[in-house]
CSV table of all heavy atoms in Angstrom, one decimal:
chain,number,residue,atom,x,y,z
G,3,ARG,N,-20.5,-43.2,41.3
G,3,ARG,CA,-20.6,-41.8,41.2
G,3,ARG,C,-20.6,-41.5,39.7
G,3,ARG,O,-19.8,-42.0,39.0
G,3,ARG,CB,-19.4,-41.1,41.8
G,3,ARG,CG,-19.4,-39.5,41.6
G,3,ARG,CD,-18.2,-39.0,42.3
G,3,ARG,NE,-18.0,-37.6,41.8
G,3,ARG,CZ,-16.9,-36.9,42.0
G,3,ARG,NH1,-15.8,-37.4,42.5
G,3,ARG,NH2,-17.0,-35.6,41.6
G,20,PHE,N,-27.9,-28.5,36.6
G,20,PHE,CA,-27.1,-28.8,37.6
G,20,PHE,C,-26.5,-27.5,38.4
G,20,PHE,O,-25.6,-27.5,39.2
G,20,PHE,CB,-25.9,-29.6,37.3
G,20,PHE,CG,-26.2,-30.9,36.7
G,20,PHE,CD1,-25.8,-31.3,35.4
G,20,PHE,CD2,-27.0,-31.8,37.4
G,20,PHE,CE1,-26.1,-32.5,34.8
G,20,PHE,CE2,-27.4,-33.0,36.8
G,20,PHE,CZ,-27.0,-33.4,35.6
G,21,GLY,N,-27.0,-26.3,37.9
G,21,GLY,CA,-26.6,-25.0,38.5
G,21,GLY,C,-25.3,-24.7,38.2
G,21,GLY,O,-24.6,-23.8,38.9
G,22,ARG,N,-24.6,-25.2,37.2
G,22,ARG,CA,-23.2,-24.9,36.9
G,22,ARG,C,-23.1,-23.5,36.2
G,22,ARG,O,-23.9,-23.0,35.5
G,22,ARG,CB,-22.6,-25.9,36.0
G,22,ARG,CG,-22.9,-27.4,36.4
G,22,ARG,CD,-22.2,-28.3,35.4
G,22,ARG,NE,-20.8,-28.5,35.5
G,22,ARG,CZ,-20.1,-29.1,34.6
G,22,ARG,NH1,-20.6,-29.5,33.7
G,22,ARG,NH2,-18.7,-29.0,34.9
G,23,LEU,N,-22.0,-22.9,36.6
G,23,LEU,CA,-21.7,-21.4,36.1
G,23,LEU,C,-21.6,-21.4,34.6
G,23,LEU,O,-22.0,-20.5,34.0
G,23,LEU,CB,-20.5,-20.9,36.8
G,23,LEU,CG,-20.6,-20.5,38.3
G,23,LEU,CD1,-19.3,-20.0,38.8
G,23,LEU,CD2,-21.8,-19.6,38.6
G,98,VAL,N,-26.9,-30.7,51.7
G,98,VAL,CA,-25.7,-29.8,51.7
G,98,VAL,C,-25.8,-28.9,50.4
G,98,VAL,O,-25.5,-27.7,50.8
G,98,VAL,CB,-24.4,-30.6,51.5
G,98,VAL,CG1,-23.2,-29.9,51.2
G,98,VAL,CG2,-24.2,-31.5,52.8
G,99,TYR,N,-26.3,-29.4,49.3
G,99,TYR,CA,-26.4,-28.5,48.2
G,99,TYR,C,-27.5,-27.4,48.4
G,99,TYR,O,-27.4,-26.2,48.2
G,99,TYR,CB,-26.8,-29.3,47.0
G,99,TYR,CG,-27.1,-28.5,45.8
G,99,TYR,CD1,-26.3,-27.5,45.2
G,99,TYR,CD2,-28.5,-28.5,45.2
G,99,TYR,CE1,-26.7,-26.7,44.1
G,99,TYR,CE2,-28.8,-27.9,44.1
G,99,TYR,CZ,-28.0,-26.9,43.5
G,99,TYR,OH,-28.2,-26.1,42.5
G,101,LEU,N,-28.3,-26.0,51.4
G,101,LEU,CA,-27.9,-25.2,52.3
G,101,LEU,C,-26.8,-24.2,51.6
G,101,LEU,O,-26.2,-23.5,52.3
G,101,LEU,CB,-27.3,-26.0,53.5
G,101,LEU,CG,-28.2,-26.8,54.3
G,101,LEU,CD1,-27.5,-27.6,55.4
G,101,LEU,CD2,-29.3,-25.8,55.0
G,102,LYS,N,-26.5,-24.4,50.4
G,102,LYS,CA,-25.5,-23.4,49.6
G,102,LYS,C,-24.0,-23.7,50.2
G,102,LYS,O,-23.4,-22.7,50.3
G,102,LYS,CB,-26.0,-22.1,49.8
G,102,LYS,CG,-27.2,-21.8,49.1
G,102,LYS,CD,-27.3,-20.5,48.5
G,102,LYS,CE,-27.2,-19.2,49.6
G,102,LYS,NZ,-27.3,-18.0,49.0
G,103,LEU,N,-23.8,-24.9,50.7
G,103,LEU,CA,-22.4,-25.3,51.1
G,103,LEU,C,-21.6,-25.9,49.9
G,103,LEU,O,-20.4,-26.1,50.2
G,103,LEU,CB,-22.5,-26.3,52.3
G,103,LEU,CG,-23.1,-25.9,53.7
G,103,LEU,CD1,-23.2,-27.0,54.7
G,103,LEU,CD2,-22.3,-24.7,54.1
G,104,ALA,N,-22.3,-26.1,48.9
G,104,ALA,CA,-21.7,-26.5,47.6
G,104,ALA,C,-22.3,-25.8,46.4
G,104,ALA,O,-23.6,-25.7,46.5
G,104,ALA,CB,-21.7,-28.0,47.5
G,105,PRO,N,-21.7,-25.5,45.4
G,105,PRO,CA,-22.2,-24.9,44.2
G,105,PRO,C,-23.0,-25.7,43.4
G,105,PRO,O,-24.0,-25.3,42.7
G,105,PRO,CB,-20.9,-24.3,43.4
G,105,PRO,CG,-19.8,-25.2,43.8
G,105,PRO,CD,-20.2,-25.6,45.2
G,106,THR,N,-22.8,-26.9,43.3
G,106,THR,CA,-23.6,-27.9,42.5
G,106,THR,C,-23.8,-29.1,43.3
G,106,THR,O,-23.2,-29.4,44.3
G,106,THR,CB,-22.9,-28.3,41.1
G,106,THR,OG1,-21.8,-29.2,41.6
G,106,THR,CG2,-22.4,-27.2,40.5
G,107,ILE,N,-24.8,-30.0,42.9
G,107,ILE,CA,-25.0,-31.2,43.5
G,107,ILE,C,-23.8,-32.2,43.5
G,107,ILE,O,-23.6,-33.0,44.5
G,107,ILE,CB,-26.4,-31.9,43.1
G,107,ILE,CG1,-26.7,-33.2,43.8
G,107,ILE,CG2,-26.1,-32.2,41.5
G,107,ILE,CD1,-27.2,-32.9,45.1
G,108,PHE,N,-23.0,-32.2,42.5
G,108,PHE,CA,-21.8,-33.0,42.3
G,108,PHE,C,-20.8,-32.5,43.3
G,108,PHE,O,-20.1,-33.3,43.9
G,108,PHE,CB,-21.4,-33.0,40.9
G,108,PHE,CG,-22.4,-33.5,39.8
G,108,PHE,CD1,-23.0,-32.8,39.1
G,108,PHE,CD2,-22.6,-35.0,39.9
G,108,PHE,CE1,-24.0,-33.3,38.1
G,108,PHE,CE2,-23.5,-35.5,39.1
G,108,PHE,CZ,-24.3,-34.7,38.1
G,109,SER,N,-20.7,-31.2,43.5
G,109,SER,CA,-19.8,-30.7,44.5
G,109,SER,C,-20.1,-31.2,45.8
G,109,SER,O,-19.3,-31.6,46.7
G,109,SER,CB,-19.7,-29.1,44.6
G,109,SER,OG,-19.2,-28.7,43.1
G,110,ALA,N,-21.4,-31.2,46.1
G,110,ALA,CA,-22.0,-31.6,47.4
G,110,ALA,C,-21.7,-33.1,47.7
G,110,ALA,O,-21.2,-33.5,48.8
G,110,ALA,CB,-23.5,-31.3,47.4
G,111,GLN,N,-21.8,-33.9,46.6
G,111,GLN,CA,-21.4,-35.3,46.8
G,111,GLN,C,-20.1,-35.5,46.9
G,111,GLN,O,-19.6,-36.4,47.8
G,111,GLN,CB,-21.7,-36.0,45.4
G,111,GLN,CG,-23.3,-36.2,45.1
G,111,GLN,CD,-23.6,-36.6,43.8
G,111,GLN,OE1,-22.6,-36.8,42.9
G,111,GLN,NE2,-24.8,-37.1,43.5
G,112,GLN,N,-19.2,-34.6,46.5
G,112,GLN,CA,-17.7,-34.9,46.8
G,112,GLN,C,-17.4,-34.4,48.1
G,112,GLN,O,-16.5,-35.0,48.8
G,112,GLN,CB,-16.9,-34.0,45.7
G,112,GLN,CG,-15.5,-34.2,45.7
G,112,GLN,CD,-14.8,-33.7,44.6
G,112,GLN,OE1,-15.2,-32.6,44.1
G,112,GLN,NE2,-13.7,-34.3,44.0
G,113,LEU,N,-17.9,-33.4,48.6
G,113,LEU,CA,-17.7,-32.9,50.0
G,113,LEU,C,-18.1,-33.9,51.0
G,113,LEU,O,-17.3,-34.2,52.0
G,113,LEU,CB,-18.6,-31.5,50.3
G,113,LEU,CG,-18.0,-30.3,49.7
G,113,LEU,CD1,-18.9,-29.1,50.0
G,113,LEU,CD2,-16.6,-30.0,50.1
G,114,VAL,N,-19.2,-34.6,50.7
G,114,VAL,CA,-19.8,-35.7,51.7
G,114,VAL,C,-18.9,-36.8,51.7
G,114,VAL,O,-18.3,-37.4,52.7
G,114,VAL,CB,-21.1,-36.1,51.4
G,114,VAL,CG1,-21.6,-37.2,52.2
G,114,VAL,CG2,-22.1,-34.9,51.6
G,116,HIS,N,-15.7,-37.1,50.8
G,116,HIS,CA,-14.4,-37.0,51.3
G,116,HIS,C,-14.4,-36.6,52.8
G,116,HIS,O,-13.4,-36.2,53.3
G,116,HIS,CB,-13.7,-35.8,50.6
G,116,HIS,CG,-13.5,-36.2,49.1
G,116,HIS,ND1,-12.8,-35.4,48.1
G,116,HIS,CD2,-13.7,-37.3,48.5
G,116,HIS,CE1,-12.7,-35.8,46.9
G,116,HIS,NE2,-13.2,-37.1,47.2
G,118,HIS,N,-15.8,-34.2,54.6
G,118,HIS,CA,-16.0,-32.8,55.0
G,118,HIS,C,-17.2,-32.3,55.8
G,118,HIS,O,-17.2,-31.2,56.3
G,118,HIS,CB,-15.9,-31.8,53.8
G,118,HIS,CG,-14.3,-32.1,53.1
G,118,HIS,ND1,-13.3,-31.6,53.7
G,118,HIS,CD2,-14.1,-32.5,51.9
G,118,HIS,CE1,-12.4,-32.0,52.9
G,118,HIS,NE2,-12.7,-32.4,51.7
G,119,ILE,N,-18.2,-33.2,55.7
G,119,ILE,CA,-19.6,-32.7,56.3
G,119,ILE,C,-19.8,-33.5,57.7
G,119,ILE,O,-19.4,-34.7,57.7
G,119,ILE,CB,-20.7,-33.1,55.3
G,119,ILE,CG1,-20.5,-32.4,54.0
G,119,ILE,CG2,-22.1,-32.7,55.9
G,119,ILE,CD1,-20.4,-30.9,54.0
G,141,ILE,N,-20.2,-28.0,58.4
G,141,ILE,CA,-19.1,-28.2,57.5
G,141,ILE,C,-17.7,-28.0,58.4
G,141,ILE,O,-17.7,-27.2,59.2
G,141,ILE,CB,-19.0,-27.4,56.2
G,141,ILE,CG1,-17.8,-27.8,55.2
G,141,ILE,CG2,-18.8,-25.9,56.5
G,141,ILE,CD1,-18.1,-27.3,53.7
G,142,LYS,N,-16.7,-28.8,58.1
G,142,LYS,CA,-15.4,-28.7,58.8
G,142,LYS,C,-14.9,-27.2,58.7
G,142,LYS,O,-15.1,-26.6,57.6
G,142,LYS,CB,-14.4,-29.7,58.5
G,142,LYS,CG,-14.8,-31.1,58.9
G,142,LYS,CD,-13.6,-32.2,58.6
G,142,LYS,CE,-14.1,-33.6,59.1
G,142,LYS,NZ,-13.0,-34.4,58.6
G,144,LYS,N,-11.9,-26.0,58.4
G,144,LYS,CA,-10.8,-25.8,57.3
G,144,LYS,C,-11.5,-25.9,56.1
G,144,LYS,O,-11.1,-25.2,55.1
G,144,LYS,CB,-9.8,-27.1,57.6
G,144,LYS,CG,-8.7,-27.0,56.6
G,144,LYS,CD,-7.7,-28.0,56.9
G,144,LYS,CE,-6.5,-27.9,55.9
G,144,LYS,NZ,-5.4,-29.0,56.2
G,145,THR,N,-12.5,-26.9,55.9
G,145,THR,CA,-13.2,-27.0,54.6
G,145,THR,C,-14.0,-25.7,54.2
G,145,THR,O,-14.1,-25.3,52.9
G,145,THR,CB,-14.1,-28.2,54.7
G,145,THR,OG1,-13.5,-29.2,55.1
G,145,THR,CG2,-14.8,-28.5,53.3
G,146,SER,N,-14.5,-24.9,55.2
G,146,SER,CA,-15.3,-23.9,54.9
G,146,SER,C,-14.5,-22.7,54.2
G,146,SER,O,-15.2,-21.8,53.5
G,146,SER,CB,-15.9,-23.3,56.2
G,146,SER,OG,-14.9,-22.8,57.1
G,147,LYS,N,-13.2,-22.7,54.3
G,147,LYS,CA,-12.3,-21.8,53.6
G,147,LYS,C,-12.0,-22.2,52.3
G,147,LYS,O,-11.3,-21.4,51.5
G,147,LYS,CB,-11.1,-21.6,54.4
G,147,LYS,CG,-11.3,-21.0,55.9
G,147,LYS,CD,-10.0,-20.9,56.6
G,147,LYS,CE,-10.3,-20.1,58.0
G,147,LYS,NZ,-11.3,-20.9,58.9
G,148,MET,N,-12.4,-23.3,51.7
G,148,MET,CA,-12.2,-23.7,50.4
G,148,MET,C,-12.8,-22.7,49.3
G,148,MET,O,-14.0,-22.4,49.7
G,148,MET,CB,-12.6,-25.1,50.1
G,148,MET,CG,-11.7,-26.2,50.9
G,148,MET,SD,-12.4,-27.9,50.8
G,148,MET,CE,-12.2,-28.2,49.1
G,149,PRO,N,-12.2,-22.4,48.2
G,149,PRO,CA,-12.9,-21.6,47.2
G,149,PRO,C,-14.1,-22.1,46.8
G,149,PRO,O,-15.0,-21.3,46.6
G,149,PRO,CB,-11.9,-21.5,46.2
G,149,PRO,CG,-10.6,-21.9,46.7
G,149,PRO,CD,-10.8,-22.8,47.8
G,150,VAL,N,-14.4,-23.4,46.6
G,150,VAL,CA,-15.6,-23.9,46.1
G,150,VAL,C,-16.7,-23.7,47.0
G,150,VAL,O,-17.9,-23.5,46.7
G,150,VAL,CB,-15.4,-25.4,45.7
G,150,VAL,CG1,-15.2,-26.3,47.1
G,150,VAL,CG2,-16.6,-25.9,45.0
G,151,VAL,N,-16.3,-23.7,48.4
G,151,VAL,CA,-17.4,-23.5,49.5
G,151,VAL,C,-17.7,-22.0,49.5
G,151,VAL,O,-18.9,-21.7,49.6
G,151,VAL,CB,-16.9,-24.0,50.8
G,151,VAL,CG1,-18.0,-23.8,51.9
G,151,VAL,CG2,-16.8,-25.5,50.6
G,152,GLN,N,-16.7,-21.3,49.4
G,152,GLN,CA,-16.9,-19.6,49.4
G,152,GLN,C,-17.8,-19.3,48.3
G,152,GLN,O,-18.7,-18.4,48.5
G,152,GLN,CB,-15.5,-18.9,49.5
G,152,GLN,CG,-14.8,-19.2,50.8
G,152,GLN,CD,-15.4,-18.5,52.0
G,152,GLN,OE1,-16.1,-17.4,52.0
G,152,GLN,NE2,-15.6,-19.3,53.1
G,153,GLN,N,-17.5,-19.9,47.1
G,153,GLN,CA,-18.3,-19.5,45.9
G,153,GLN,C,-19.8,-19.8,46.2
G,153,GLN,O,-20.6,-19.0,45.7
G,153,GLN,CB,-17.7,-20.3,44.7
G,153,GLN,CG,-18.5,-20.2,43.5
G,153,GLN,CD,-18.2,-21.3,42.3
G,153,GLN,OE1,-17.1,-21.8,42.4
G,153,GLN,NE2,-19.1,-21.7,41.7
G,154,ALA,N,-20.0,-21.0,46.7
G,154,ALA,CA,-21.3,-21.4,46.9
G,154,ALA,C,-22.1,-20.5,47.9
G,154,ALA,O,-23.3,-20.3,47.6
G,154,ALA,CB,-21.3,-22.9,47.4
G,155,LEU,N,-21.4,-20.1,49.0
G,155,LEU,CA,-22.0,-19.4,50.1
G,155,LEU,C,-22.4,-18.1,49.6
G,155,LEU,O,-23.3,-17.3,50.0
G,155,LEU,CB,-21.1,-19.3,51.2
G,155,LEU,CG,-20.9,-20.4,52.0
G,155,LEU,CD1,-19.7,-20.4,53.1
G,155,LEU,CD2,-22.2,-20.9,52.8
G,156,SER,N,-21.6,-17.6,48.5
G,156,SER,CA,-21.8,-16.1,48.0
G,156,SER,C,-22.8,-16.1,46.8
G,156,SER,O,-23.2,-15.1,46.3
G,156,SER,CB,-20.5,-15.6,47.5
G,156,SER,OG,-20.0,-16.4,46.4
G,157,ASN,N,-23.4,-17.2,46.5
G,157,ASN,CA,-24.4,-17.4,45.5
G,157,ASN,C,-25.7,-17.0,45.9
G,157,ASN,O,-26.4,-17.6,46.6
G,157,ASN,CB,-24.4,-18.8,44.8
G,157,ASN,CG,-25.3,-18.9,43.6
G,157,ASN,OD1,-25.8,-18.0,43.2
G,157,ASN,ND2,-25.3,-20.1,43.1
G,160,LEU,N,-29.6,-18.8,44.6
G,160,LEU,CA,-30.2,-19.9,45.2
G,160,LEU,C,-30.9,-19.5,46.4
G,160,LEU,O,-30.2,-18.8,47.4
G,160,LEU,CB,-29.2,-21.2,45.4
G,160,LEU,CG,-28.7,-21.8,44.3
G,160,LEU,CD1,-27.5,-22.8,44.8
G,160,LEU,CD2,-29.7,-22.5,43.5
G,173,LEU,N,-22.2,-21.5,60.0
G,173,LEU,CA,-22.3,-22.4,58.9
G,173,LEU,C,-22.8,-23.8,59.3
G,173,LEU,O,-22.3,-24.9,58.9
G,173,LEU,CB,-20.8,-22.5,58.3
G,173,LEU,CG,-20.1,-21.3,57.8
G,173,LEU,CD1,-18.9,-21.7,57.1
G,173,LEU,CD2,-20.9,-20.7,56.7
Side-chain angles (χ1 to χ4, degrees):
R3 179 185 170 196
F20 303 126
R22 308 180 80 192
L23 293 178
V98 169
Y99 173 58
L101 290 172
K102 299 207 302 183
L103 292 173
T106 69
I107 185 61
F108 296 108
S109 297
Q111 290 177 344
Q112 194 168 33
L113 285 177
V114 174
H116 290 181
H118 296 293
I119 301 300
I141 191 167
K142 291 183 177 179
K144 185 177 180 180
T145 306
S146 67
K147 297 179 174 59
M148 292 172 59
V150 66
V151 177
Q152 290 297 316
Q153 171 195 330
L155 291 170
S156 62
N157 186 358
L160 293 177
L173 295 185

